[in-house]
Amino acid sequence: MPSSASAGLRGYSSTAADNGVKRAALGLVSTIGVGVASTAPAYSRAASLGFVVATSDGNGIIGVKAPAIMSLAFIPMFLIAISYSELNKAEPDCGTTFTWASRAFGPWVGWLGGWGIIAADVIVMANLSQIAGSYSFHLFGLESLAASTFWSTVAGILWIVIMTYICYRGIELSARIQYALLSVEVVILVIFSVVALTKVFGGASPAGSLHPSLSWLVPSGLSLSSIVTATLIAVFIYWGWDTAVSVNEETADPARTPGRAAIISTLLLLVTYAIVSVATVAFAGVGSAGIGLGNAANASDVFQALGSSVFGGSGLGKVMQTLLIISVLTSASASTQTTILPTARTALSMGAFKALPAKFAKIHPRYLTPTHATVWMGGVSILFYVGMTIVSQNVLGDSIAAVGLMIAFYYGMTGFACVWFYRRSIAKGGRDLWMKGVLPFLGGLMLLGAFGIASYQYAQPSYGKTTIFGIGGVFVIGIGALVFGGVLMLVYRVVAPAFFLGETLARRGAHDLLLAGMAQEPLSERESIGMPGAGMPDIVIAPDLSNLPEGTAAIDPVTGETFFGPAERKEPVPL
């Protein structure tokens, strides 16, 4: 990603330089830790499983089929993770969807992709900080303060400030803290699942508990609308692994490590969620009374509802209940931190390519982090959180549900961008056909379908907690956020047109010829020609070489062949 760009050939940047972030700061394990922690496993389970179970299905609910929904939600996530991995090989830029969609479809689509990331992250920060704030009081038994909107908001703001500062101080400090927080929540989730299943099979579980069945993993008998609605909720549970790719420029092997980390993260999440889902459904059952997951009173936090029943009232049991609270608290706080990371880096990339003001591309000289982008992310998140809290807790709740639309929007866009970027490579068949074509396309198609069906359902006045102008509040907030982004894009097009004219981030595909200048790079790196820190112009050359500068050559990044202009016409020479 260039940190600056001056005028060169019309339509292309003429310079490219290191963006200034700290290189090789994270290895594969660190990057996986960041990816998994970003999904907030404990918090996501606590806040979403009840809603998945209670999703309407005709005259009934999803119920015991919740584990099947978790498995279904994994499929598009895994396919989009493949898209991220393949696109990252070609261009390991921290802008991810913004950069790749700009390359594939042009600046307008790319800008909206970047906005989708930013909007989704800002909205979800309100919920994460609210959970972190209330659980801080639960931890110390201050239930009256935990129930207070004012004091939970104050504590939530403090969490945003703390995590913003940690992200400001450097990626390595952030990664070390992620290790500690993730370790706590994963260990507690495993213990919770083991104890719950042990009581189920040992006959010590409460009334309404169920013995696990393989049929729970198959969504048979469910309607399409209920599957889509529940799956979009479950997609939220998986959301966040892409943080592993957004820190690509700070990893030891930018072209490979982030993509591998993203795929491994989704696989680890599938295993974790499947075990916890089965254990929770089996122990609590899906009834509408008591600790049953069909009880609306338990939907917003199933762990708080089940903690005392699973661990009991003994001294050890109370310790484990406290640790369960700590696991949700650390999960929410960790996710708060890792939500700031990708948003700041998306803004960094957009600022570097002049899709946002240049100050967003500034890097701290000591900490090597995107200072302005990080601080702005924290500040805007606080303003949104406070604003939504003042307006209505119901509006805040619907805004969180609306995040699913934005996730489907920019994840789906990434899948289609992968297909279009590699469209000529796909025609060769073999691995490219599947990994760069069929699988990313299916992932994008699934999310596009989910986006369309969910939009219709969310627009119904009966859906969600609010209605705005006779339309479901979830739809208005989700689609409204995207439309608002479109308005901002049009305004910024007038203020700073360079990016939208393609002068700073040229549209291209993997098959395009590029201005030569990396002959020293090994063959395995040629797909990364002109990418972050290359120190060369990133210029796409027309097939007929009509825009090739005099005295230079063009290179095919796939085959490695070099082509010269008419004045220096020679046979292609393999590098």
Side-chain angles (χ1 to χ4, degrees):
M1 170 178 52
S3 57
S4 61
S6 56
L9 293 178
R10 180 170 177 76
Y12 309 105
S13 65
S14 62
T15 63
D18 189 332
N19 66 19
V21 294
K22 189 169 185 177
R23 303 290 177 171
L26 303 176
L28 178 60
V29 175
S30 300
T31 310
I32 292 172
V34 169
V36 174
S38 297
T39 66
Y43 156 71
S44 297
R45 292 284 80 202
S48 303
L49 181 58
F51 289 108
V52 172
V53 170
T55 299
S56 297
D57 178 46
N59 294 324
I61 59 176
I62 291 291
V64 296
K65 297 293 186 177
I69 296 298
M70 300 302 162
S71 300
L72 281 179
F74 163 77
I75 296 174
M77 291 297 96
F78 182 70
L79 298 180
I80 297 304
I82 291 174
S83 305
Y84 269 74
S85 178
E86 294 301 323
L87 286 167
N88 187 71
K89 291 176 184 176
E91 186 147 12
D93 184 273
C94 64
T96 60
T97 298
F98 157 71
T99 306
W100 303 330
S102 296
R103 290 295 194 194
F105 302 127
W108 299 93
V109 176
W111 200 98
L112 286 175
W115 171 255
I117 296 174
I118 293 172
D121 286 347
V122 168
I123 290 175
V124 82
M125 279 287 284
N127 188 249
L128 290 170
S129 54
Q130 182 185 49
I131 293 294
S134 62
Y135 263 79
S136 297
F137 295 125
H138 282 310
L139 179 61
F140 296 102
L142 303 174
E143 302 305 324
S144 60
L145 295 180
S148 167
T149 299
F150 174 79
W151 287 111
S152 290
T153 302
V154 170
I157 291 172
L158 288 176
W159 273 111
I160 294 178
V161 171
I162 292 170
M163 291 306 172
T164 299
Y165 176 72
I166 291 172
C167 292
Y168 180 91
R169 283 295 304 267
I171 188 66
E172 289 172 314
L173 174 61
S174 297
R176 287 195 295 270
I177 291 177
Q178 288 303 313
Y179 270 136
L181 298 180
L182 181 61
S183 298
V184 170
E185 61 180 297
V186 169
V187 169
I188 299 303
L189 284 178
V190 170
I191 294 174
F192 174 87
S193 300
V194 170
V195 173
L197 288 175
T198 299
K199 288 192 173 183
V200 168
F201 287 109
S205 55
S209 64
L210 305 165
H211 276 252
S213 169
L214 289 176
S215 65
W216 293 4
L217 301 175
V218 181
S220 57
L222 300 177
S223 66
L224 177 60
S225 62
S226 66
I227 289 176
V228 171
T229 301
T231 299
L232 204 55
I233 296 173
V235 162
F236 173 78
I237 296 174
Y238 283 97
W239 176 50
W241 53 261
D242 51 307
T243 301
V245 186
S246 69
V247 296
N248 47 21
E249 297 184 56
E250 294 154 279
T251 60
D253 187 352
R256 293 178 177 81
T257 296
R260 292 173 181 170
I263 292 175
I264 293 172
S265 294
T266 58
L267 291 170
L268 290 175
L269 289 169
L270 172 64
V271 174
T272 302
Y273 290 163
I275 293 173
V276 177
S277 297
V278 169
T280 306
V281 170
F283 184 86
V286 295
S288 58
I291 64 171
L293 298 182
N295 186 344
N298 301 331
S300 62
D301 191 345
V302 297
F303 288 156
Q304 187 174 19
L306 299 180
S308 59
S309 297
V310 172
F311 293 120
S314 66
L316 178 59
K318 290 183 178 180
V319 170
M320 293 308 302
Q321 289 180 51
T322 300
L323 291 176
L324 187 61
I325 292 174
I326 291 175
S327 73
V328 177
L329 172 60
T330 58
S331 180
S333 58
S335 191
T336 300
Q337 178 189 347
T338 51
T339 298
I340 296 170
L341 287 175
T343 313
R345 279 147 184 80
T346 297
L348 164 63
S349 182
M350 294 179 76
F353 285 118
K354 298 186 177 180
L356 287 178
K359 65 182 179 181
F360 284 98
K362 290 185 178 180
I363 299 295
H364 193 284
R366 177 181 176 187
Y367 303 132
L368 302 180
T369 55
T371 52
H372 279 75
T374 300
V375 172
W376 267 88
M377 171 57 187
V380 171
S381 296
I382 290 174
L383 289 176
F384 180 83
Y385 177 30
V386 173
M388 289 297 97
T389 301
I390 292 174
V391 171
S392 168
Q393 285 291 302
N394 289 336
V395 173
L396 179 59
D398 278 355
S399 69
I400 302 306
V403 169
L405 289 176
M406 281 168 272
I407 297 171
F409 174 74
Y410 84 82
Y411 271 0
M413 180 187 292
T414 307
F416 292 129
C418 183
V419 176
W420 191 249
F421 184 82
Y422 286 113
R423 59 191 180 277
R424 295 191 183 177
S425 300
I426 292 169
K428 298 177 182 179
R431 180 189 182 279
D432 285 352
L433 172 64
W434 290 97
M435 300 298 285
K436 299 176 181 178
V438 175
L439 298 182
F441 179 77
L442 288 176
L445 191 63
M446 289 178 185
L447 291 174
L448 175 63
F451 180 89
I453 295 174
S455 293
Y456 173 78
Q457 295 175 342
Y458 291 171
Q460 305 309 307
S462 59
Y463 192 93
K465 300 178 179 179
T466 59
T467 301
I468 303 175
F469 303 119
I471 304 174
V474 176
F475 175 86
V476 174
I477 295 170
I479 300 301
L482 295 177
V483 171
F484 180 64
V487 172
L488 290 180
M489 177 177 65
L490 293 175
V491 171
Y492 201 69
R493 162 64 176 81
V494 175
V495 174
F499 168 76
F500 299 96
L501 295 176
E503 295 176 0
T504 61
L505 182 58
R507 181 177 177 180
R508 76 172 186 88
H511 55 277
D512 289 322
L513 297 178
L514 300 178
L515 186 67
M518 288 186 66
Q520 73 277 12
E521 294 294 329
L523 183 61
S524 62
E525 297 297 328
R526 283 181 182 150
E527 279 193 322
S528 296
I529 289 174
M531 303 312 159
M536 58 165 285
D538 181 9
I539 298 179
V540 181
I541 303 302
D544 61 1
L545 306 181
S546 58
N547 65 332
L548 183 65
E550 183 177 351
T552 63
I555 186 171
D556 184 326
V558 176
T559 66
E561 290 182 316
T562 300
F563 299 85
F564 298 88
E568 301 88 10
R569 180 70 67 196
K570 299 178 183 179
E571 292 297 318
V573 179
L575 291 179

